[in-house]
Every structure is written in structure tokens, then in C-alpha cells.
Amino acid sequence: YAGQSDSQLNAQSSGNPDAQPETGTMYTAGFVYSPVWLENFSTTVDWYQLDLEQAIGAPGTQNILNACFVQGIVDYCSKVQRDAIGEITRVDNSLDNTGVLNAEGIDFNFRYALPDTAVGTFKFNLDTSYIIENTTQSVAGEPGTIARNAGDFGDISSGLDGHFARWRGLFNTNWSYGDFDVSWKMRYIHHVRETPAGCQTGLTDPGLCTMVLIGNDNNGQIVRGERTIPSYTYNDLQANYNLSAFNTVLTVGVDNIA
């Protein structure tokens, strides 16, 4: 499709009545700990592992084109429509049983409420998740469509699912006194790697990307351009006042404070 005059292709996204049920196995384990020596404190830890086959998803426009024109897979060529002169007019990126998903991670939760004080009640809650693995194969049987997502940002147009920061956290502090309460929420997102179009070999901006060795093939080393999106913490602040006589709660807040 190198002779395509228009590099911006139309893609169709929709459901698929012919999609088959996903199949797979899932394992979970966890525990809850609430010590007698620390009242109003509890913690939970949950581990999960998921291996899914015939995963339902959109293959991604670029994956469809590669599967057809590079690998010569007939089923994917049928998803590419052309006009009378051979130009690609539309790519069918509808949901299908595209491949496999292997995911593993751990979720943590910590809760604590201080004993009531003369200046009100304080409560704390921390939810944290860690991604050990998130590997997808957008086109079943095609190693070139395997994506190891943990710690990466994947372009959705390539059949990937977006943001996979290894660590995420949500910490909430709540103070209440009579009819008045204030909550402070902190959201943490760990850094991720991404490979934007400007980072491809031959187009690399030295100030934007770093070339990284990711493997070897018959022609030698395989490198790709990467850049890192740094970790970030968002703060949300909210205050409420309960006008119980009028069955009304007044709320004021601000989100995404750097």
C-alpha cells in the first residue's frame, strides 16, 4: 500500500455478531489483615493472573494492513476495501477474536481511622495497584503483533490499549467535624515509555527520543526510539457542608492541582 496517495485512512469500528466467546483461566489469591492491637486499621492484598484466548478486541488499523500486505493473511486482506483505481478507501477495524491476553498484577488497600478527637474525625485510605505483566497479541499466531504493555503507553490505533503504568495509587484523607467535612485526594501515576511516530528510526529527534535495543533478527539488531513520560501526582480538594434542616449539601472543590 506504499502507493497510497492519501495517508489518512478511514477505519470502521463496530461490534461483531460473529465474535466467539473468550476462553481462559484466571487465578486469584489474597488476604485481609486487621490487627487487634491497632483499632480501625485494615489492609488487603490481592494477586491475580489471567490467561485469555480468543480475546475480543479491535486488531488495529496498522496491524490489519501489516497482516495483509506483509504476512499475506487472507482474512485480514478482506478487511481492506479499495476503490476502482486500487486506493484504500476503508479498513474494517471492528471487534473480533483477535488474539491473546496475559495479565498479572497485585492490588493493595490500607484503611485507617483515628479515634475521635476534639477537633473532628480523620480517616485515611490508600489503594495501590502494580502491573507485573500485561502482554497482548493483536493478531493470533503473528509474533510481530505481540505487545508487552507493562510500563508502556500503547497507541490505540495500533491495536494496543493505552496507558499501562506499572504503579498507580489513590490516597484519600478525610476530615469531618459536625456538619462540615473536607477531603484531599492524591492520584499517583508512575512513569511510562512510549514510541511516538517521531521516534521511528530515521526520524528521531535527538532532543525527544532515545534509541533502545529491543532484540535481534536475521538482519542484525532491532532498535526503536523511545521517550519517557514522567511520573505525576494529581491533587483534588473538596469541602462539603451539610444543611440538614434543608436536606441540602453545599460542595465546593478543585481538581487536578499540580
Side-chain angles (χ1 to χ4, degrees):
Y1 56 97
Q4 183 80 12
S5 61
D6 185 1
S7 61
Q8 299 295 318
L9 301 180
N10 293 320
Q12 172 184 312
S13 299
S14 66
N16 182 357
D18 296 323
Q20 300 300 307
E22 298 174 326
T23 61
T25 57
M26 184 171 186
Y27 303 95
T28 61
F31 67 86
V32 178
Y33 179 56
S34 183
V36 295
W37 49 268
L38 185 57
E39 188 178 359
N40 297 324
F41 174 82
S42 67
T43 180
T44 61
V45 178
D46 295 290
W47 166 84
Y48 65 89
Q49 184 182 59
L50 173 65
D51 298 309
L52 195 64
E53 297 180 353
Q54 298 195 82
I56 296 176
T61 303
Q62 190 61 54
N63 284 332
I64 292 172
L65 295 174
N66 290 344
C68 175
F69 296 102
V70 179
Q71 281 85 31
I73 303 175
V74 176
D75 288 345
Y76 283 89
C77 290
S78 65
K79 296 178 179 291
V80 181
Q81 295 186 4
R82 296 178 178 272
D83 61 17
I85 62 173
E87 293 271 323
I88 297 175
T89 57
R90 184 171 63 89
V91 178
D92 182 4
N93 191 34
S94 301
L95 295 178
D96 206 346
N97 298 101
T98 58
V100 299
L101 166 65
N102 304 113
E104 183 180 7
I106 304 176
D107 297 325
F108 308 87
N109 173 261
F110 303 89
R111 295 175 182 270
Y112 182 56
L114 289 172
D116 291 343
T117 69
V119 293
T121 302
F122 295 85
K123 297 179 180 179
F124 308 92
N125 184 79
L126 173 63
D127 288 301
T128 305
S129 63
Y130 178 71
I131 296 177
I132 299 172
E133 179 190 10
N134 187 291
T135 301
T136 60
Q137 188 172 17
S138 299
V139 180
E142 293 300 320
T145 65
I146 293 176
R148 294 173 175 84
N149 298 315
D152 284 2
F153 176 83
D155 187 353
I156 295 177
S157 67
S158 297
L160 304 179
D161 294 321
H163 202 289
F164 289 89
R166 285 194 180 270
W167 283 102
R168 289 177 181 265
L170 177 62
F171 181 68
N172 189 64
T173 300
N174 180 268
W175 169 68
S176 60
Y177 184 78
D179 291 327
F180 186 70
D181 72 86
V182 176
S183 65
W184 174 27
K185 183 185 299 181
M186 301 175 63
R187 293 175 287 136
Y188 172 77
I189 302 174
H190 202 50
H191 68 260
V192 292
R193 301 179 301 270
E194 71 164 348
T195 307
C199 285
Q200 301 303 318
T201 303
L203 300 175
T204 302
D205 179 348
L208 176 69
C209 310
T210 301
M211 300 309 293
V212 178
L213 175 66
I214 61 173
N216 295 274
D217 61 13
N218 294 333
N219 297 318
Q221 294 181 334
I222 303 173
V223 297
R224 72 176 182 182
E226 292 183 353
R227 68 176 177 181
T228 298
I229 302 174
S231 305
Y232 206 82
T233 300
Y234 300 89
N235 294 274
D236 303 333
L237 188 63
Q238 180 174 299
N240 304 289
Y241 186 74
N242 183 22
L243 298 172
S244 54
F246 301 95
N247 294 319
T248 301
V249 177
L250 301 179
T251 300
V252 62
V254 59
D255 293 342
N256 299 328
I257 304 171

